[in-house]
Amino acid sequence: MQTLQMMKERWLKAIEASNDLSLLEQARIAAFGKQGEVTQEMKNLGTLAPEERKERGAALNQLRDDLMAAMETKRTQLKAQELLQRLASESLDVSLPVRPELKGTVHPLSQALFEMTEIFKSMGFSVAEGPHIEEDYYNFDALNIPAEHPARQEHDTFYMPSGKEGVKKVLRTHTSPVQIRTMLAQNPPLRIIAPGRVFRSDYDQTHTPTFHQVEGLMIGEGIHMGHLKHCMTEFFRRMFNLPNLPVRFRPSYFPFTEPSAEVDIGFSRSGENLVLGQGDDWLEILGCGMVHPDVLENCHIDPARFQGFAFGMGVERVAMLKYGILDLRSFYEADTRWLHRYGFSITEGLTGGGER
Ligand code: DAH
């Protein structure tokens, strides 16, 4: 049996000779691991006579403590050494250009919807919503567009499988069914807008299969065309920040309003761009009218007592005009370069008003 003193010296040397942390770890395993030498010596204690075991046991414990302390000291030294080496070899090049910071932007459509909603809210309108998958009845019939009506053909409808009880469903082709849902659910007076997504099976430079509209509805006693005119004129002048924007009402036809009108705003062309508020060209921007008595009746509202107006406009068209966006399809291409050009940062957009 070797003397413990010799063994201790051998291990102390081995610890001292360990030049890095992994060598030190190897030494620790060779001494204290499951098969390690010190561990083995501890196990052998069991074979000794009690007297001898007591003495050697105490000595072995001492040896273990001394070796562990030596290892700990060495470990601390090696760690400090490694740190110094890293500090000497690694350097920080502060002249390197910073990595670009990826910041999200507010999509121009979200921005436009937000601004439009804010203006109508300030006029006392609240926001109503309806489903994208809409009952054929709400999308058409209740709005005075029966099955054989030519207006149905113009809508390029996406038809959906019928729901339970054979209820015919479509992807809503406009936000007007929200008028019906609102009138059925609430009693007049009513003042709502319904911003949201609509769908038509159409795709070319000026049509995409999905786009957005803002619908409006105001019903009360004694509401007339003058209210509609003021509301629309005020809305566009505020939306485009042009207090003198020319706004014109032109007679038109929609099955759900009587009389019906289209609203045009004055503009002129400058190269590819449209300049609003000057020149003598007119741009069609919105459909509106006085809610048809039949539509009121479909919603159990007495047309002898209540009247009102409705309107509907495309959000993309308004956003294109306001932010100078030229191609409708670009709204849906999710091109981040486009978003960085036309999107709004959180600080300049939304509550900031989106001025450019
Ligand atoms: N729903 C019509 C469309 O999508 C737009 C419209 C016109 C809505 C006149 C109205 C309205 O509420 O009164 O073309």
Side-chain angles (χ1 to χ4, degrees):
M1 206 189 304
Q2 58 179 327
T3 70
L4 290 185
Q5 188 55 33
M6 278 165 65
M7 188 171 136
K8 178 173 166 180
E9 273 160 25
R10 192 159 39 75
W11 277 115
L12 286 176
K13 267 193 201 145
I15 291 168
E16 195 43 48
S18 302
N19 284 333
D20 61 42
L21 287 166
S22 72
L23 286 175
L24 185 63
E25 179 61 7
Q26 278 175 26
R28 187 191 67 77
I29 292 167
F32 298 116
K34 264 202 191 133
Q35 311 295 331
E37 191 181 17
V38 181
T39 314
Q40 224 46 56
E41 289 290 341
M42 296 275 195
K43 283 188 188 157
N44 289 341
L45 286 174
T47 64
L48 302 178
E51 263 315 293
E52 222 181 326
R53 188 193 306 156
K54 199 174 164 198
E55 203 180 306
R56 192 167 173 89
L60 259 178
N61 280 343
Q62 185 61 47
L63 173 126
R64 182 197 55 202
D65 293 349
D66 292 349
L67 291 185
M68 282 192 164
M71 283 185 182
E72 197 43 48
T73 311
K74 187 70 182 178
R75 188 173 296 120
T76 314
Q77 264 177 26
L78 287 173
K79 276 193 180 157
Q81 203 173 303
E82 273 189 11
L83 181 63
L84 283 175
Q85 273 166 8
R86 274 185 53 198
L87 285 173
S89 64
E90 293 177 10
S91 62
L92 184 66
D93 184 353
V94 290
S95 69
L96 277 177
V98 276
R99 286 201 199 99
E101 200 181 324
L102 291 177
K103 273 201 213 133
T105 55
V106 178
H107 194 283
L109 270 179
S110 307
Q111 179 66 29
L113 277 164
F114 179 85
E115 290 181 36
M116 294 161 97
T117 305
E118 283 302 291
I119 295 172
F120 284 116
K121 276 205 303 208
S122 79
M123 297 180 184
F125 286 80
S126 53
V127 173
E129 286 184 318
H132 292 167
I133 300 174
E134 183 56 281
E135 293 185 21
D136 182 81
Y137 175 77
Y138 292 138
N139 196 82
F140 292 121
D141 301 70
L143 286 160
N144 227 6
I145 318 175
E148 301 313 320
H149 199 284
R152 283 220 187 186
Q153 270 70 62
E154 284 164 29
H155 278 224
D156 302 306
T157 312
F158 285 110
Y159 290 94
M160 302 296 287
S162 295
K164 270 184 265 151
E165 294 113 33
V167 176
K168 279 202 246 157
K169 302 240 172 159
V170 297
L171 288 184
R172 68 178 182 189
T173 58
H174 50 177
T175 41
S176 303
V178 186
Q179 287 186 32
I180 304 297
R181 288 181 170 272
T182 306
M183 287 190 279
L184 285 173
Q186 297 171 37
N187 291 323
L190 297 171
R191 212 187 289 190
I192 57 109
I193 56 164
R197 189 180 274 256
V198 301
F199 308 85
R200 292 188 197 178
S201 177
D202 203 356
Y203 187 71
D204 61 33
Q205 206 168 355
T206 51
H207 297 90
T208 46
T210 179
F211 57 101
H212 294 74
Q213 292 186 333
V214 170
E215 189 80 15
L217 176 72
M218 179 163 182
I219 304 284
E221 283 177 82
I223 303 295
H224 54 71
M225 210 64 195
H227 296 119
L228 169 62
K229 239 186 130 175
H230 172 76
C231 188
M232 296 298 96
T233 307
E234 179 70 10
F235 168 76
F236 285 114
R237 290 183 173 168
R238 279 170 67 181
M239 187 66 196
F240 292 116
N241 268 316
L242 296 168
N244 299 315
L245 178 71
V247 178
R248 153 178 111 166
F249 281 65
R250 183 166 39 77
S252 184
Y253 172 76
F254 298 102
F256 34 90
T257 44
E258 182 57 40
S260 302
E262 262 160 317
V263 173
D264 301 335
I265 53 178
F267 80 103
S268 66
R269 230 173 260 282
S270 149
E272 263 195 319
N273 283 307
L274 304 184
V275 184
L276 290 183
Q278 337 179 332
D280 41 30
D281 272 341
W282 293 98
L283 190 71
E284 178 189 319
I285 190 115
L286 172 142
C288 60
M290 300 305 294
V291 179
H292 197 293
D294 290 352
V295 174
L296 292 173
E297 273 176 1
N298 288 341
C299 302
H300 321 301
I301 292 176
D302 177 8
R305 180 165 170 214
F306 294 107
Q307 301 76 36
F309 63 77
F311 58 87
M313 71 184 119
V315 181
E316 283 77 355
R317 158 70 68 92
V318 172
M320 287 169 83
L321 287 170
K322 178 151 183 181
Y323 311 135
I325 296 168
L326 296 173
D327 185 350
L328 171 71
R329 289 176 290 195
S330 60
F331 280 107
Y332 305 103
E333 281 166 358
D335 180 340
T336 50
R337 290 163 307 177
W338 181 87
L339 272 172
H340 281 277
R341 164 74 180 80
Y342 290 105
F344 293 81
S345 76
I346 275 292
T347 44
E348 72 174 331
L350 295 181
T351 49
E355 291 319 315
R356 276 277 153 85

